[in-house]
Amino acid sequence: MASKHTIATRHAQGIRARFASRFLRSLLRLRRSGNRFGGSQSNDEGIGKRIRTDRIKIAAYAAMARAVGPRRTWSRALLFKLRNRARIHGVSRKRCLVSEKKRVTRNKVVAISSREPSRADTLRKLVPGGDSMDTCVLLEETAHYIKCLATQVTVMQSIADRLLL
Amino acid sequence: MINRALLPAGGGENMLHCTDMTVLERQRARIKWQQEQQQQQFQLQQQEISYFTELADVFHQAGFHEGGLSEVVTRSVKPDPGLVDNGWNNDHVVGYGVGLPYNNGLGFELNYGAISRTSSCPPEAVAAVAAATVKGSESVVSDKISSGAGRESSKKRKVDKIQNNSKVVAEEDTRDKRIKGCAEQGESKITEKNNNKNSRNNNTNKNNNSNKENSDETSKDNSKVSEVQKPDYIHVRARRGQATDSHSLAERVRREKISERMKYLQDLVPGCDKITGKAGMLDEIINYVQSLQRQVEFLSMKLAAANPRLDFNVDNLFAKEAFPACSINFPTIGMSSDMTNPAYLQFNPAQQQLLACCGLDMGIDPPDMALKRTTSAPVSIPETFLDSSCFTQTHPPPTWDADLQNLYNVAFDQGRQTSFQTQPFTGDVKLSCLFLSALY
């Protein structure tokens, strides 16, 4: 277990640098794209801000998932979800409706077999890709996910502090 | 009885050479011997073996010939009270006395027997010893299991006994590595002896007992789980006083894995030292993950708020600052690859301060740095926290370009400091080029 921990810490530091570089690059890209569309869109209060927030958040998660790579179940699931979201976003509304229908039926099925959500289920909802894992693997993925989330938060914090000071 | 059990240990290997003994008896002897061994006895045997080899040499030098040896053998034989009911010892003794196969082996065994006589054990010849041990262990086993003992036990009964014994073994917890190692050797020798049926029964029995026996030598004390080289299944040993059901074993393995992961998570999540129990821990973990995700959302909002201001700055500072900043950046990165370079410290007071604080304050977490943070919850991963706190202590340069460049440098500095990896200089230059080209 000690060796596992050292390997994990080494990974965390590697992940930190990788995530930082990717996130910064995507931030710059976002800024440039915001600039290209003119100042008005991005300077809008309200909706514009929310859009920007979401874009930055997605960029952060995407950067983290790519920095981790396909080694972990949760990163694979996260990348898959982001790609699907991008696809759905860019494609016509028809497909959106179709996917909505599918989601509705799935929810109904879930409602039938609903019981009080146990803690493990709550955790599954939080960790990306947690549905298809048994408890043992779920805990392992949660540990790695927590570590990556923590590095993500610190890097973003330092960037924000630097940019705003 | 213990000493009797001692006897064939040294002779175990020698018994292989004794062609008088039947395959069955040898196997039986081996099995019974394995099952009765304790570690101290084994060590004792080893000591005695070394002692006996010396004596064997002495005896050979004395020039015993076969006849003399046989006399010694017959003389040294004493009927053991425990063996009275079994008449075949004497037969074996006689038979053995007649045909002495190997001088060495017999001398060895003789010495063993002779000396064990002094250690209050009735001396017997090899076969007798083997038989005695077989018989003795059989009687022991029969006491335990109350099954009939006897040389006339058929193969089948022997198989039953083996099955029973394996169960007994499974329920006891005092088996250790060497015994198991010998068991492995013994079993492999058994298969060598072509008693395939027996060994097959043993193996199937083991399988039927749901991985109770360890076929992996490398593990154990009283540990429960061992990973086997074969990818088929994990061999588990039942602990003393615990159920040996296959289902409960598998459950226990699963529970052990989960508790191990929970302990790891306890180290990861801050403030979980006091909490015991899976439920509380899971609650804490869920809270922590939710708080981290909320923090990411909040920070992205903050960055989004920061963006328009920076975009505005870009228009002003783009043309002026970019090119000179570019030229400044390269030597910065070049110097940053060498931490102790004084030129680097002289170049930029901000970065000097950064270096100083990172170098000196590695183990310290000044509270004022925490106050500078705009976000509430500190993330308590020590090295990352320290590095980012070093971040905030520096005076930010006025220009946005210089800001981001410094940030980029420090981000890589952090990576380098914490991981103590020196990223290649060319790599840094390339990345900085990428970064700067993205600005235009």
Side-chain angles (χ1 to χ4, degrees):
Chain A
M1 190 72 158
S3 62
K4 189 178 169 186
H5 185 64
T6 51
I7 290 171
T9 46
R10 255 189 280 136
H11 275 306
Q13 281 138 17
I15 279 177
R16 176 175 241 267
R18 289 200 298 269
F19 168 70
S21 67
R22 280 185 205 268
F23 185 53
L24 285 168
R25 258 182 264 160
S26 54
L27 267 185
L28 284 171
R29 227 181 295 136
L30 281 172
R31 257 181 233 132
R32 259 188 300 148
S33 65
N35 261 349
R36 231 178 279 135
F37 289 126
S40 59
Q41 240 186 29
S42 34
N43 284 338
D44 247 357
E45 299 308 315
I47 302 174
K49 218 177 200 177
R50 205 182 307 159
I51 291 175
R52 254 183 296 128
T53 313
D54 286 341
R55 284 211 194 117
I56 289 178
K57 189 171 68 163
I58 290 168
Y61 280 120
M64 178 48 80
R66 267 188 220 110
V68 169
R71 285 176 291 187
R72 285 281 168 175
T73 317
W74 66 265
S75 67
R76 286 195 294 264
L78 192 54
L79 283 170
F80 184 68
K81 190 168 63 169
L82 290 170
R83 257 179 237 150
N84 280 353
R85 196 184 292 190
R87 231 184 331 122
I88 287 171
H89 241 44
V91 175
S92 66
R93 280 187 200 154
K94 281 183 193 171
R95 282 201 204 166
C96 264
L97 289 172
V98 169
S99 57
E100 290 282 359
K101 274 187 201 164
K102 277 190 189 164
R103 250 176 267 146
V104 166
T105 51
R106 224 175 287 141
N107 286 341
K108 275 190 189 161
V109 169
V110 167
I112 287 169
S113 62
S114 72
R115 52 186 198 280
E116 186 205 321
S118 73
R119 297 184 178 87
D121 293 340
T122 327
L123 197 54
R124 283 211 178 87
K125 265 185 270 172
L126 286 175
V127 176
D131 301 329
S132 59
M133 293 190 239
D134 58 339
T135 317
C136 193
V137 181
L138 178 69
L139 289 177
E140 198 179 323
E141 296 285 322
T142 310
H144 194 259
Y145 185 59
I146 283 175
K147 220 184 309 177
C148 293
L149 264 185
T151 58
Q152 192 175 352
V153 163
T154 49
V155 170
M156 289 176 75
Q157 243 168 3
S158 49
I159 291 175
D161 289 341
R162 295 283 285 173
L163 288 178
L164 286 184
L165 275 175
Chain B
M1 192 249 293
I2 287 175
N3 289 322
R4 237 186 297 124
L6 278 175
L7 293 172
E13 288 67 37
N14 289 328
M15 282 186 341
L16 271 176
H17 307 300
C18 305
T19 51
D20 286 50
M21 300 191 61
T22 63
V23 169
L24 240 183
E25 281 146 4
R26 233 174 289 154
Q27 290 163 7
R28 224 181 299 166
R30 207 177 308 285
I31 290 170
K32 302 315 170 199
W33 160 67
Q34 298 159 15
Q35 287 168 349
E36 272 203 333
Q37 287 314 306
Q38 305 274 336
Q39 190 179 3
Q40 307 105 3
Q41 290 174 3
F42 196 72
Q43 284 171 348
L44 251 179
Q45 292 155 22
Q46 284 176 333
Q47 292 165 15
E48 285 177 350
I49 285 165
S50 56
Y51 181 50
F52 291 153
T53 44
E54 291 175 330
L55 282 172
D57 295 333
V58 168
F59 267 111
H60 293 317
Q61 287 164 13
F64 272 94
H65 65 288
E66 289 204 358
L69 275 173
S70 63
E71 285 176 21
V72 174
V73 167
T74 49
R75 245 187 297 127
S76 61
V77 170
K78 267 195 223 158
D80 192 70
L83 298 176
V84 164
D85 51 340
N86 196 347
W88 57 290
N89 294 321
N90 302 325
D91 300 338
H92 268 270
V93 166
V94 168
Y96 202 83
V98 166
L100 298 167
Y102 292 101
N103 232 359
N104 295 335
L106 185 60
F108 184 86
E109 293 314 313
L110 237 196
N111 305 326
Y112 211 133
I115 290 185
S116 47
R117 198 203 315 184
T118 59
S119 55
S120 78
C121 172
E124 286 153 332
V126 181
V129 157
T133 51
V134 171
K135 182 53 211 147
S137 54
E138 271 179 358
S139 59
V140 168
V141 169
S142 60
D143 289 342
K144 285 188 205 165
I145 303 177
S146 68
S147 53
R151 181 165 70 111
E152 292 78 24
S153 59
S154 59
K155 268 193 190 181
K156 221 181 191 177
R157 223 190 296 171
K158 181 189 170 195
V159 167
D160 293 338
K161 202 160 293 179
I162 290 167
Q163 287 177 349
N164 289 336
N165 289 338
S166 62
K167 277 189 193 139
V168 166
V169 166
E171 283 158 15
E172 285 180 317
D173 67 336
T174 55
R175 302 288 169 257
D176 73 345
K177 250 189 261 187
R178 266 177 250 171
I179 293 164
K180 271 179 248 125
C182 297
E184 294 306 316
Q185 293 168 18
E187 282 161 11
S188 61
K189 280 172 189 162
I190 287 171
T191 53
E192 280 174 53
K193 301 297 174 216
N194 297 326
N195 197 349
N196 294 326
K197 184 181 173 188
N198 240 355
S199 57
R200 251 183 277 126
N201 282 336
N202 272 337
N203 290 333
T204 53
N205 190 36
K206 267 188 245 164
N207 292 342
N208 291 340
N209 285 342
S210 323
N211 316 332
K212 265 183 274 181
E213 295 284 349
N214 259 332
S215 63
D216 187 11
E217 298 181 68
T218 57
S219 58
K220 345 332 244 312
D221 310 303
N222 285 331
S223 61
K224 299 129 338 230
V225 181
S226 67
E227 299 285 333
V228 178
Q229 284 82 17
K230 317 171 200 172
D232 293 340
Y233 41 75
I234 295 174
H235 285 263
V236 184
R237 176 157 289 273
R239 274 196 291 192
R240 188 189 180 90
Q242 291 187 337
T244 55
D245 192 27
S246 71
H247 291 296
S248 50
L249 276 177
E251 270 290 313
R252 200 174 312 127
V253 167
R254 182 179 156 273
R255 260 182 279 136
E256 296 296 336
K257 270 199 223 167
I258 286 180
S259 64
E260 178 191 330
R261 305 242 158 97
M262 295 290 286
K263 266 187 234 147
Y264 184 54
L265 275 166
Q266 208 169 18
D267 298 332
L268 220 45
V269 178
C272 272
D273 316 332
K274 308 293 192 315
I275 298 171
T276 52
K278 264 200 302 183
M281 268 304 301
L282 275 176
D283 282 333
E284 277 300 315
I285 290 165
I286 288 171
N287 283 338
Y288 189 57
V289 171
Q290 279 171 340
S291 79
L292 282 176
Q293 285 175 342
R294 261 182 270 129
Q295 264 182 312
V296 169
E297 170 111 26
F298 178 73
L299 283 168
S300 65
M301 233 184 343
K302 205 167 146 195
L303 284 171
N307 266 356
R309 204 189 311 164
L310 295 166
D311 291 339
F312 176 72
N313 278 338
V314 168
D315 298 334
N316 289 340
L317 307 167
F318 215 65
K320 292 185 225 168
E321 309 285 337
F323 282 107
C326 177
S327 57
I328 289 171
N329 206 17
F330 287 120
T332 307
I333 289 176
M335 281 184 242
S336 64
S337 61
D338 179 11
M339 284 301 139
T340 57
N341 196 346
Y344 179 65
L345 296 172
Q346 289 165 13
F347 169 67
N348 193 344
Q351 285 168 340
Q352 177 188 14
Q353 203 173 354
L354 171 88
L355 260 186
C357 94
C358 283
L360 298 176
D361 299 342
M362 270 302 182
I364 305 169
D365 182 15
D368 56 344
M369 282 202 254
L371 288 172
K372 281 191 188 175
R373 297 195 163 283
T374 52
T375 54
S376 52
V379 180
S380 67
I381 294 178
E383 62 266 40
T384 60
F385 185 71
L386 279 169
D387 289 337
S388 44
S389 59
C390 294
F391 236 145
T392 57
Q393 221 184 29
T394 64
H395 296 303
T399 63
W400 169 73
D401 289 335
D403 241 347
L404 270 177
Q405 284 157 25
N406 287 338
L407 189 130
Y408 203 68
N409 294 340
V410 177
F412 276 100
D413 291 350
Q414 284 179 7
R416 247 178 270 120
Q417 278 166 18
T418 50
S419 60
F420 297 105
Q421 298 162 4
T422 49
Q423 290 176 7
F425 180 74
T426 54
D428 290 340
V429 172
K430 277 184 203 152
L431 273 168
S432 63
C433 283
L434 233 178
F435 192 83
L436 294 165
S437 63
L439 289 175
Y440 304 121

